Amino acid sequence: MAEKTGYVTFHHLNELIPSAKAEPEDIEAILTASSERGIWIAEEWVGALAGYD
C-alpha cells in the first residue's frame, strides 16, 4: 500500500508492528527503509487531511 500511495500512517505501522515486541532498532530500520523508498509517515490518512472521507 505505501509504495502505491507514497505514505503510510502511524496507525498502519502500529497495526503491523506490535509495540510490545518492537525494539528501537526495528523502528529505526523501518523508518530508514521507508525513507529510502520515498515513503513518508503521515499522522493520519492523507485523504482525511484533504477533506475526503
Side-chain angles (χ1 to χ4, degrees):
M1 178 180 129
E3 290 183 350
K4 288 182 182 181
T5 62
Y7 75 95
V8 65
T9 65
F10 283 110
H11 176 76
H12 290 122
L13 288 177
N14 289 334
E15 287 181 344
L16 295 171
I17 308 165
S19 61
K21 296 182 181 183
E23 298 292 329
E25 296 83 15
D26 298 331
I27 296 168
E28 183 63 33
I30 290 167
L31 295 175
T32 299
S34 297
S35 177
E36 289 172 353
R37 289 173 175 79
I39 298 168
W40 54 280
I41 315 274
E43 289 286 330
E44 55 187 81
W45 180 60
V46 173
L49 297 174
Y52 300 107
D53 288 327

